[in-house]
């Protein structure tokens, strides 16, 4: 477990690749994930500094992580108990305080892209049949997220390992905050179980702060984690004070989760109560500020 705090001054990108327990069979899981996060964060910062729309940057980063089978999101997601993958992704634009999500989609390559499209719709949280119907209407890539490795894990009943959910929190140089989270869920869960990532407990942003959570979704929902952290910042607490209390509460309750968070002034917080969490903090001026080993 760990809690870290700092401040960035330009555009900022925080990414996590999950706070699952480390799989003893693959001790390099976290370092491999961190390397991929570093590459994605560096690309995102470059795009932000070049003036690309931050929402586009957010979906590009999430799409890239969803396409990387080492993460439990998009391609390579964990299978539920019936052998199906059901993907969830949420996006929140802090400036508009607008949340959108897709829940339990099996045949959408990049659920984060569909969640982003829903930002401008009147129905902003969709599950099936609507989510898959809309994806076809928008001609988004259709794909199974099954990979041989995950199917083998399911057949052998190997529990979901070190890397679960992926998340991204962006702050532009002007202080606009955007958040996105994408997940394949816990693995082996009851079919149709809803992940915290598709709720405001797992993904939340406002003009005050943005948070993406990872770990045991039921505990994240029980604690209303992301929206609770944001509320404390909104009510005048510093992110450090809010993050520290959330961390202490999580430890006291023996929770197994983690999060990345940013506020409008560039203060950041990364914390987890699990054995490990892959994450990076990237500053537009200084480059890599922090990353899991
Ligand atoms: N945090 C991912 C999940 O529990 O679904």
């Amino acid at each position: 477990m760990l809690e870290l705090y700092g401040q960035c001054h330009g555009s900022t990108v925080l990414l996590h690749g999950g706070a699952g327990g480390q799989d003893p069979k693959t001790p390099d899981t976290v370092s491999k994930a961190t390397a991929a996060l570093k590459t994605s964060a560096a690309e995102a910062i470059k795009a932000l500094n070049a003036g690309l729309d931050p929402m586009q940057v957010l979906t590009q980063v999430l799409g890239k992580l969803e396409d990387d089978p080492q993460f439990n999101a998009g391609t390579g997601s964990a299978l539920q108990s019936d052998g199906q993958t059901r993907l969830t992704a949420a996006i929140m634009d802090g400036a508009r305080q607008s949340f959108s999500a897709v829940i339990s989609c099996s045949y959408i390559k990049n659920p984060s892209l569909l969640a982003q499209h829903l930002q401008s719709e009147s129905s902003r949280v969709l599950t099936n049949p609507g989510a898959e119907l809309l994806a076809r209407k928008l001609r988004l890539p259709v794909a199974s997220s099954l990979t041989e490795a995950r199917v083998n894990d399911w057949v052998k009943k190997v529990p979901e390992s070190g890397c679960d959910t992926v998340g991204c929190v962006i702050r532009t140089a002007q202080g606009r905050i955007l958040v996105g989270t994408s997940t394949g869920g816990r693995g082996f869960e009851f079919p149709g179980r809803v992940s915290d990532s598709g709720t405001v407990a797992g993904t939340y942003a406002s003009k005050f702060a943005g948070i993406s959570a990872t770990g045991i979704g039921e505990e994240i929902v029980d604690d209303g984690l992301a929206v609770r952290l944001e509320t404390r910042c909104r009510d005048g607490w510093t992110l450090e004070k809010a993050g520290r209390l959330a961390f202490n509460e999580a430890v006291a309750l023996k929770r197994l989760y983690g999060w990345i968070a940013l506020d409008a002034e560039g203060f950041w917080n990364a914390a987890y109560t699990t054995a490990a969490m892959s994450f990076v903090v990237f500053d537009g001026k200084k480059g890599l500020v922090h990353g899991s080993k």
Side-chain angles (χ1 to χ4, degrees):
M1 68 177 65
L2 187 70
E3 53 171 337
L4 289 167
Y5 304 90
Q7 188 181 17
C8 293
H9 296 282
S11 50
T12 308
V13 175
L14 265 73
L15 298 179
H16 72 69
Q22 259 176 306
D23 182 347
K25 289 192 289 304
T26 57
D28 63 342
T29 306
V30 173
S31 56
K32 266 172 59 187
T34 307
L37 297 179
K38 278 182 193 165
T39 306
S40 289
E43 285 171 8
I45 283 287
K46 205 169 154 195
L48 285 174
N49 288 348
L52 208 73
D53 172 31
M55 182 57 85
Q56 210 181 321
V57 176
L58 181 75
T59 49
Q60 274 175 7
V61 174
L62 288 171
K64 189 167 172 168
L65 299 177
E66 286 170 344
D67 290 345
D68 185 338
Q70 74 179 299
F71 297 110
N72 176 15
T75 305
S77 284
L79 280 61
Q80 297 194 332
S81 54
D82 62 348
Q84 290 286 319
T85 49
R86 292 186 181 84
L87 316 184
T88 292
I91 298 280
M92 192 150 184
D93 180 349
R96 297 170 56 234
Q97 208 176 301
S98 162
F99 179 92
S100 58
V102 291
I103 292 169
S104 286
C105 299
S106 294
Y107 298 102
I108 296 172
K109 184 165 171 284
N110 295 112
S112 59
L113 211 54
L114 190 57
Q116 187 254 316
H117 173 83
L118 290 171
Q119 281 279 304
S120 51
E121 298 292 307
S122 53
S123 303
R124 281 189 275 122
V125 181
L126 286 188
T127 187
N128 283 317
E132 308 261 358
L133 277 174
L134 182 64
R136 305 297 176 276
K137 192 174 145 199
L138 296 171
R139 297 187 187 283
L140 294 181
V142 176
S144 162
S145 44
L146 290 174
T147 59
E148 203 178 325
R150 290 287 188 186
V151 172
N152 285 338
D153 283 353
W154 184 79
V155 169
K156 291 182 199 147
K157 298 199 175 4
V158 177
E160 207 281 299
S161 67
C163 291
D164 77 346
T165 307
V166 300
C168 175
V169 187
I170 284 176
R171 174 187 173 273
T172 66
Q174 294 73 36
R176 180 176 163 198
I177 299 169
L178 301 98
V179 175
T181 314
S182 183
T183 189
R186 283 181 72 165
F188 296 98
E189 65 269 70
F190 198 82
R193 173 253 188 193
V194 172
S195 165
D196 64 286
S197 306
T199 75
V200 295
T203 306
Y204 200 81
S206 67
K207 64 182 180 184
F208 301 98
I211 301 100
S212 170
T214 167
I216 307 283
E218 282 68 13
E219 297 181 355
I220 293 167
V221 169
D222 285 349
D223 293 347
L225 179 65
V227 74
R228 187 158 50 102
L229 255 167
E230 187 276 343
T231 302
R232 286 173 175 159
C233 294
R234 173 188 295 258
D235 289 347
W237 286 30
T238 62
L239 179 61
E240 181 162 347
K241 189 176 171 189
R244 185 147 290 140
L245 182 60
F247 182 78
N248 290 339
E249 287 169 340
V251 172
L253 290 168
K254 297 189 168 46
R255 299 307 202 197
L256 290 172
Y257 57 60
W259 65 87
I260 50 173
L262 255 174
D263 76 8
E265 278 77 50
F267 286 98
W268 60 267
N269 168 214
Y272 55 92
T273 57
T274 52
M277 177 173 84
S278 54
F279 71 97
V280 295
V281 180
F282 230 87
D283 182 311
K285 290 189 178 138
K286 290 187 258 171
L288 183 72
V289 174
H290 223 290
S292 46
K293 300 283 183 294

